[in-house]
Amino acid sequence: MSKITAAITAVGKYVPEYVLTNKELETFVDTNDEWITTRTGIKERRILKGEGLGTSFMAIKAAQDLLHKSNTNPEEIDLVIVATATPDLMVASTAVYTATEIGAINAFAYDLQAACSSFLYGMSTAASYIESGRYKKVLVIGADKMSSIIDYTDRATCIIFGDGAGAALFEPNSEGFGLKDEYLRSDGIGREFLKIDAGGSILPPSLETVKNGQHFVHQEGKTVFKYAVSNMAEVSEKMLTRNNLTKEDIQWLVPHQANKRIIEATANRVGVEPEKVMVNIHKYGNTTSATLPLLLADYENQLKKGDNLIFAAFGGGFTWGAIYLTWAYNS
Ligand code: UT7
């Protein structure tokens, strides 16, 4: 019997309609289009507007896009994972609500939080369930409403992040397509450099924490940048060397979209040409858990069965890693 691998068999996406441009940012924070473009590669990002709409709103839409495009019956889904750093609510899982809303009535569901590496870790989790033979259809959704935790007077963070969601369905494959290798890392040294101080168990919400702006993301950009560049490059290169791949064997690099300069540094280290690097940071900014599945959805038409993809991500915690996956279908 041939080994069962976990392949991606469908993808979907959703981004909110509202476009926040660099020009609009210039009107309320001390920044400019030229600085943002040259330092990050971002031109605009999407923002979810509307009272009472949380991350699940986008996760549901991305999942529905996938179900519709692939003609998948939601009742056949075994597990729904929502990778997110911005759940709808504390305690009650965003994935559980999402699964119910999309009609995945036979699935169980839970959230997975690993900052910007959430979707990457989710891919590994999905693949493990499939490879073990325990489940047949695992839906992983990466979704974040970053605008809910951003201080729009802080130019160090508000120019970077955006809202969005992407989804990928994992199923067993016996032809050798799907997830081939992974190298996932984490290091608690990163805890101080990218975080929200209040609202967790260390510092519960209070009038004081709200007044001090401690419910917003705080990032020491330079430090995170330094770690991101070296670590994303290192794990990506490791995927090649330990699988005896040359740069010619790689059709696509799928890097987390945090900063165009980090993407370019990773691509240089792996040695792949710019045409082989998936990039949509100019349109969406950093959507945290949604960057990787949004790339897959945006590039789906160009992907061919048998293409070798290297995924790489880096995020708060620190969390980071790379995955080597072979694409399983022509769209
Ligand atoms: O996805 C999760 C992981 N996150 C990341 O990977 C993000 C990593 N970090 C970054 O992408 C970059 O560090 C940032 C984009 C956040 C910042 O870029 P930088 O090149 O590291 O800028 P910096 O913070 O070193 O600031 C350089 C200069 C400073 O001015 P001086 O001191 O040189 O006069 C800042 O005050 O740019 C200034 N600056 C800005 N100017 C205009 C900082 N932010 C802005 C801004 N607009 N928004």
Side-chain angles (χ1 to χ4, degrees), residues 7 21 40 55 58 101 109 130 146 158 164 173 191 199 201 211 237 245 258 265 267-268 281 283 291 295 312 317 326:
T21 61
T40 71
T55 293
M58 298 183 289
E101 289 297 302
I130 302 278
M146 293 305 291
C158 75
N173 186 288
R191 177 150 136 156
S201 54
K211 221 167 37 193
E237 193 181 33
L245 298 166
N268 283 342
I281 191 170
K283 295 193 289 184
T291 60
L295 285 172
T326 304

Short mmCIF file of all heavy atoms in Angstrom, two decimals, residues 7 21 40 55 58 101 109 130 146 158 164 173 191 199 201 211 237 245 258 265 267-268 281 283 291 295 312 317 326:
data_model
loop_
_atom_site.label_atom_id
_atom_site.label_comp_id
_atom_site.label_asym_id
_atom_site.label_seq_id
_atom_site.Cartn_x
_atom_site.Cartn_y
_atom_site.Cartn_z
N ALA A 7 -2.77 16.30 0.88
CA ALA A 7 -2.69 17.27 -0.21
C ALA A 7 -3.72 18.38 -0.02
O ALA A 7 -4.80 18.14 0.54
CB ALA A 7 -2.94 16.57 -1.54
N THR A 21 -5.73 53.03 1.90
CA THR A 21 -4.53 53.29 1.11
C THR A 21 -3.47 54.00 1.96
O THR A 21 -3.77 54.58 3.00
CB THR A 21 -4.86 54.20 -0.10
OG1 THR A 21 -5.35 55.44 0.42
CG2 THR A 21 -5.90 53.56 -1.01
N THR A 40 8.34 48.72 3.21
CA THR A 40 7.52 47.52 3.42
C THR A 40 6.98 46.88 2.15
O THR A 40 6.63 45.71 2.14
CB THR A 40 6.29 47.84 4.31
OG1 THR A 40 5.36 48.63 3.56
CG2 THR A 40 6.67 48.59 5.58
N THR A 55 -13.70 38.22 13.23
CA THR A 55 -12.89 37.36 12.36
C THR A 55 -13.73 36.26 11.71
O THR A 55 -13.51 35.90 10.55
CB THR A 55 -11.75 36.76 13.20
OG1 THR A 55 -10.87 37.84 13.57
CG2 THR A 55 -10.96 35.72 12.44
N MET A 58 -15.17 36.83 8.19
CA MET A 58 -14.27 36.61 7.04
C MET A 58 -13.94 35.12 6.87
O MET A 58 -13.85 34.63 5.74
CB MET A 58 -12.99 37.42 7.24
CG MET A 58 -13.23 38.91 7.30
SD MET A 58 -11.69 39.85 7.43
CE MET A 58 -11.19 39.45 9.09
N GLU A 101 -21.75 27.63 11.06
CA GLU A 101 -22.31 28.55 10.07
C GLU A 101 -22.14 28.07 8.63
O GLU A 101 -22.95 28.39 7.77
CB GLU A 101 -21.68 29.95 10.22
CG GLU A 101 -22.13 30.69 11.45
CD GLU A 101 -23.63 30.98 11.46
OE1 GLU A 101 -24.10 31.65 10.51
OE2 GLU A 101 -24.33 30.54 12.39
N ALA A 109 -14.24 21.28 15.85
CA ALA A 109 -13.51 22.48 15.43
C ALA A 109 -12.79 23.12 16.60
O ALA A 109 -13.24 23.03 17.74
CB ALA A 109 -14.48 23.48 14.82
N ILE A 130 -4.48 13.71 8.63
CA ILE A 130 -4.74 13.00 7.37
C ILE A 130 -3.79 11.81 7.22
O ILE A 130 -4.20 10.69 6.91
CB ILE A 130 -4.56 13.95 6.17
CG1 ILE A 130 -5.50 15.16 6.26
CG2 ILE A 130 -4.70 13.20 4.84
CD1 ILE A 130 -6.90 14.98 5.80
N MET A 146 -7.02 42.20 12.01
CA MET A 146 -5.94 42.90 12.70
C MET A 146 -6.35 44.31 13.09
O MET A 146 -5.87 44.86 14.09
CB MET A 146 -4.68 42.93 11.82
CG MET A 146 -4.05 41.57 11.58
SD MET A 146 -3.68 40.69 13.11
CE MET A 146 -2.35 41.70 13.76
N CYS A 158 0.37 50.60 12.45
CA CYS A 158 -0.87 50.74 11.69
C CYS A 158 -0.67 50.71 10.18
O CYS A 158 -1.60 50.45 9.42
CB CYS A 158 -1.65 51.99 12.11
SG CYS A 158 -0.96 53.54 11.51
N GLY A 164 -8.23 40.00 6.59
CA GLY A 164 -8.51 39.08 5.49
C GLY A 164 -8.60 37.65 5.96
O GLY A 164 -8.34 37.35 7.14
N ASN A 173 -3.90 11.71 -0.15
CA ASN A 173 -3.45 11.53 -1.53
C ASN A 173 -2.51 10.33 -1.57
O ASN A 173 -1.64 10.20 -0.71
CB ASN A 173 -2.72 12.81 -1.99
CG ASN A 173 -2.35 12.77 -3.44
OD1 ASN A 173 -1.44 12.05 -3.84
ND2 ASN A 173 -3.07 13.53 -4.25
N ARG A 191 8.90 36.81 23.02
CA ARG A 191 7.68 37.26 23.70
C ARG A 191 7.63 38.78 23.93
O ARG A 191 6.57 39.38 23.86
CB ARG A 191 7.58 36.52 25.04
CG ARG A 191 6.44 36.90 25.92
CD ARG A 191 6.04 35.71 26.73
NE ARG A 191 5.79 36.04 28.12
CZ ARG A 191 5.01 35.32 28.91
NH1 ARG A 191 4.43 34.22 28.45
NH2 ARG A 191 4.83 35.63 30.16
N GLY A 199 -5.21 42.13 28.73
CA GLY A 199 -6.35 41.36 28.22
C GLY A 199 -6.16 39.87 28.39
O GLY A 199 -7.11 39.10 28.25
N SER A 201 -4.18 36.63 30.85
CA SER A 201 -4.25 36.25 32.27
C SER A 201 -3.21 36.98 33.13
O SER A 201 -3.37 37.08 34.34
CB SER A 201 -4.09 34.74 32.42
OG SER A 201 -2.91 34.32 31.79
N LYS A 211 -6.94 52.85 29.24
CA LYS A 211 -6.41 54.21 29.20
C LYS A 211 -4.97 54.23 28.68
O LYS A 211 -4.57 55.10 27.93
CB LYS A 211 -6.46 54.81 30.61
CG LYS A 211 -6.88 56.26 30.62
CD LYS A 211 -7.24 56.79 32.00
CE LYS A 211 -6.35 56.25 33.09
NZ LYS A 211 -6.76 56.45 34.44
N GLU A 237 15.91 27.43 3.45
CA GLU A 237 17.08 26.77 2.88
C GLU A 237 17.17 25.32 3.34
O GLU A 237 17.52 24.42 2.58
CB GLU A 237 18.34 27.54 3.28
CG GLU A 237 19.55 27.14 2.49
CD GLU A 237 20.79 27.91 2.94
OE1 GLU A 237 20.90 28.24 4.14
OE2 GLU A 237 21.65 28.16 2.09
N LEU A 245 16.96 19.21 -2.84
CA LEU A 245 16.35 20.01 -3.90
C LEU A 245 17.31 21.13 -4.29
O LEU A 245 17.98 21.70 -3.43
CB LEU A 245 15.05 20.64 -3.40
CG LEU A 245 13.92 19.70 -2.98
CD1 LEU A 245 12.86 20.46 -2.20
CD2 LEU A 245 13.31 19.02 -4.20
N ALA A 258 5.04 39.90 5.51
CA ALA A 258 5.20 40.87 6.60
C ALA A 258 5.89 42.12 6.12
O ALA A 258 5.60 43.22 6.58
CB ALA A 258 5.97 40.25 7.75
N ALA A 265 14.76 38.85 1.04
CA ALA A 265 15.92 38.23 1.69
C ALA A 265 15.77 36.70 1.70
O ALA A 265 16.74 35.96 1.46
CB ALA A 265 16.07 38.75 3.11
N ALA A 267 13.95 34.92 -0.43
CA ALA A 267 14.07 34.45 -1.82
C ALA A 267 15.54 34.40 -2.25
O ALA A 267 15.97 33.44 -2.91
CB ALA A 267 13.29 35.37 -2.75
N ASN A 268 16.32 35.39 -1.85
CA ASN A 268 17.75 35.42 -2.21
C ASN A 268 18.47 34.23 -1.61
O ASN A 268 19.31 33.61 -2.27
CB ASN A 268 18.40 36.71 -1.70
CG ASN A 268 18.04 37.88 -2.60
OD1 ASN A 268 17.61 37.68 -3.73
ND2 ASN A 268 18.18 39.09 -2.08
N ILE A 281 1.58 41.42 -0.89
CA ILE A 281 1.67 42.35 0.24
C ILE A 281 1.24 43.76 -0.16
O ILE A 281 0.69 44.51 0.65
CB ILE A 281 3.09 42.35 0.86
CG1 ILE A 281 3.09 43.11 2.20
CG2 ILE A 281 4.12 42.88 -0.09
CD1 ILE A 281 4.36 42.96 3.01
N LYS A 283 -1.19 44.64 -1.90
CA LYS A 283 -2.66 44.77 -1.89
C LYS A 283 -3.28 44.64 -0.50
O LYS A 283 -4.31 45.22 -0.22
CB LYS A 283 -3.28 43.67 -2.76
CG LYS A 283 -2.97 43.74 -4.22
CD LYS A 283 -3.87 42.82 -5.02
CE LYS A 283 -3.56 41.36 -4.79
NZ LYS A 283 -4.35 40.45 -5.61
N THR A 291 -2.09 35.35 5.44
CA THR A 291 -1.21 35.66 4.30
C THR A 291 -0.99 34.44 3.39
O THR A 291 -1.10 34.56 2.17
CB THR A 291 0.17 36.19 4.75
OG1 THR A 291 0.82 35.21 5.58
CG2 THR A 291 0.06 37.51 5.50
N LEU A 295 -2.35 33.96 -0.52
CA LEU A 295 -1.43 33.79 -1.65
C LEU A 295 -1.87 32.62 -2.52
O LEU A 295 -1.92 32.72 -3.76
CB LEU A 295 0.00 33.53 -1.15
CG LEU A 295 0.78 34.72 -0.60
CD1 LEU A 295 2.08 34.26 0.03
CD2 LEU A 295 1.07 35.77 -1.69
N ALA A 312 7.02 29.54 3.96
CA ALA A 312 7.84 29.99 5.10
C ALA A 312 7.11 31.10 5.83
O ALA A 312 6.45 31.94 5.20
CB ALA A 312 9.19 30.49 4.61
N GLY A 317 6.07 35.57 19.23
CA GLY A 317 6.27 34.39 20.09
C GLY A 317 7.70 34.17 20.57
O GLY A 317 7.96 34.15 21.74
N THR A 326 3.95 19.55 -2.38
CA THR A 326 3.76 19.44 -3.83
C THR A 326 2.29 19.64 -4.17
O THR A 326 1.41 19.03 -3.54
CB THR A 326 4.24 18.05 -4.32
OG1 THR A 326 5.59 17.88 -3.92
CG2 THR A 326 4.17 17.96 -5.83
#
